[in-house]
Amino acid sequence: MAVRPPRPHRVDLYIAAAGLLGGLLLWGLGLDTRTPQDGIVVFESPWWVLPPLVVTAGCEALRRVMPRTALLVGWAALTLDTITQGNLITVLMFTDLVYAAVLYGPPATARRVPWVSGLVTVAFTVVPIAAFRKPEALLIGVVVGLVSLMPAATGWIVRNHRDAAEAARLRAEQTALLAEMDRAQAVVSERARMARELHDMVANHLSAIAIHSTAALSLDDPDTSKEALGVIRENSVAGLAEMRRLIGILRDSSDDTEPSAAPTLDSLGSLVEGARTNGLDVTLDADHAGTLPAPVELAAYRIVQESLTNALKHASPGRVCVVLRQPDGSLAISVTSPYGDRDGPSAPGSGAGLVGMRERVALLGGTFEAGPESSVHGKIWSVRATLPVAQGEPA
């Protein structure tokens, strides 16, 4: 496919037309810049003024799409104009060509044109003074500087300001993009955190409800059904309380309503008692020194809570052991339960609990393992986590 040549800008066409009409008006009125008596006019016929004027006007139409070509052709037209009676509009349009070459041309052209214009200005200042030995010869350099150096310097300044504005715009767009990425990442992280909180708080109570309701439906014993319904009601009330606490955190709290405090390791006793009420044989052996950092206590509590929930849903009959130890600089958590085929009712699981525990440990820079193991009492399912307790930012 053939490449179409660039079309001149509409504003440039207007500038070229205005320059051409203005030059023709001056030519028609006989307002030339030189007379044959000046001694430098080679072509004395007034008609020789028109070719440089027309060519320079055509270059003006290309000042934006072909700035280098327009400048070179315009330079040739100006040279021809200097040996005719001359036209002021031709000179003015050439100054605009110099300005446009610096402003719209490639970076190499934008750097070279001011240097070349400066050297030409110096040459036309020094040479006439050395040749004529008159102060008036300095005016030649002044005129050349006004025609070439000043437009080039102006174009360079405007280009630098334009490039600086473009760089600032790009930086602003990049900053806005980074801010949007940070916001999206924060939203995703917050959604994941709330999903873990929701799962850890409610799954335990719902699992107990599902298991005891299944037992009540499968056994035709009024006493057993009554006991199961009592457990179901207790877990329903506790689950609703946890849901209210989570909703209170998500909503904007008013001055007289504050969300409940996050659970700590001191609440493990109540958690174990609730698991025993749901039918688990649980032992708790917690040995940790004092108060730990809040993120560590919350993560440890949720790990034990989710492990007990999994034991309630999947473990075989037997003892569940919860052990917490605090070696130097870390908190070790171990929850073991019998592993094997379950005879009684069970609740389905999605695997989100293990994922949530692993994520909590990873956020604190700890280690996590979960899976079946062999022990002296048979096959067990173990959950082991190690959380660093040193103060610092989460990973």
Side-chain angles (χ1 to χ4, degrees):
M1 180 181 293
V3 180
R4 297 179 59 183
R7 299 180 61 182
H9 197 276
R10 180 181 299 179
V11 175
D12 297 340
L13 293 177
Y14 293 157
I15 294 174
L20 180 60
L21 293 177
L24 291 175
L25 179 62
L26 293 183
W27 175 78
L29 296 175
L31 299 178
D32 301 324
T33 58
R34 288 174 293 275
T35 62
Q37 289 76 23
D38 291 337
I40 61 173
V41 177
V42 176
F43 301 102
E44 298 182 0
S45 174
W47 294 95
W48 280 103
V49 177
L50 296 181
L53 174 65
V54 174
V55 172
T56 307
C59 292
E60 278 284 79
L62 303 175
R63 62 191 289 273
R64 206 181 304 249
V65 295
M66 301 175 64
R68 290 186 298 183
T69 302
L71 178 60
L72 294 176
V73 176
W75 183 276
L78 181 66
T79 302
L80 177 61
D81 182 77
T82 57
I83 57 177
T84 66
Q85 294 185 17
N87 191 299
L88 180 61
I89 300 300
T90 301
V91 178
L92 292 178
M93 287 193 295
F94 175 77
T95 61
D96 184 64
L97 293 177
V98 176
Y99 170 83
V102 177
L103 183 59
Y104 301 115
T109 301
R111 291 191 299 267
R112 292 170 185 169
V113 170
W115 282 102
V116 173
S117 299
L119 293 176
V120 171
T121 301
V122 172
F124 276 88
T125 302
V126 174
V127 173
I129 291 178
F132 298 109
R133 304 286 182 173
K134 293 181 179 181
E136 292 80 1
L138 182 63
L139 296 177
I140 299 176
V142 173
V143 173
V144 173
L146 292 175
V147 172
S148 61
L149 182 58
M150 290 300 294
T154 304
W156 179 257
I157 294 173
V158 174
R159 185 183 181 113
N160 284 340
H161 283 290
R162 187 190 65 180
D163 293 344
E166 180 66 16
R169 184 186 65 83
L170 291 177
R171 284 196 298 270
E173 291 180 355
Q174 292 175 355
T175 301
L177 180 60
L178 291 175
E180 179 63 20
M181 293 174 62
D182 290 341
R183 187 197 67 81
Q185 184 177 4
V187 169
V188 172
S189 300
E190 185 65 13
R191 290 178 63 181
R193 186 182 71 85
M194 298 312 299
R196 288 194 301 268
E197 289 290 322
L198 181 61
H199 179 275
D200 293 344
M201 288 192 301
V202 181
N204 182 35
H205 302 295
L206 293 181
S207 299
I209 292 172
I211 292 173
H212 284 83
S213 61
T214 302
L217 292 173
S218 61
L219 298 177
D220 189 12
D221 184 359
D223 294 335
T224 303
S225 298
K226 184 177 181 180
E227 181 181 355
L229 289 175
V231 175
I232 290 173
R233 182 185 182 282
E234 181 180 349
N235 281 276
S236 300
V237 172
L240 287 174
E242 295 284 1
M243 284 294 296
R244 290 193 188 99
R245 188 178 79 87
L246 180 60
I247 293 173
I249 294 175
L250 292 176
R251 286 177 176 172
D252 292 332
S253 300
S254 58
D255 295 337
D256 56 349
T257 304
E258 294 185 359
S260 303
T264 62
L265 294 182
D266 293 335
S267 305
L268 287 180
S270 300
L271 181 64
V272 170
E273 287 299 325
R276 290 170 181 163
T277 302
N278 291 329
L280 284 180
D281 182 10
V282 186
T283 62
L284 173 63
D285 183 5
D287 183 12
H288 57 90
T291 303
L292 301 176
V296 175
E297 292 208 18
L298 177 60
Y301 180 91
R302 294 303 186 199
I303 290 172
V304 174
Q305 183 184 44
E306 179 59 28
S307 299
L308 294 178
T309 299
N310 290 339
L312 178 64
K313 292 191 293 186
H314 307 297
S316 301
R319 176 162 295 182
V320 179
C321 300
V322 179
V323 179
L324 276 76
R325 293 288 184 268
Q326 188 176 348
D328 294 338
S330 63
L331 176 66
I333 306 166
S334 173
V335 182
T336 58
S337 58
Y339 180 76
D341 295 333
R342 182 187 180 99
D343 296 331
S346 61
S350 62
L354 291 177
V355 175
M357 288 190 287
R358 194 179 303 277
E359 289 177 349
R360 288 183 183 276
V361 174
L363 286 174
L364 295 175
T367 60
F368 177 82
E369 295 179 357
E373 294 182 1
S374 297
S375 68
V376 294
H377 302 291
K379 204 167 187 180
I380 62 172
W381 179 272
S382 70
V383 175
R384 304 185 190 278
T386 303
L387 304 176
V389 298
Q391 293 286 353
E393 294 293 332

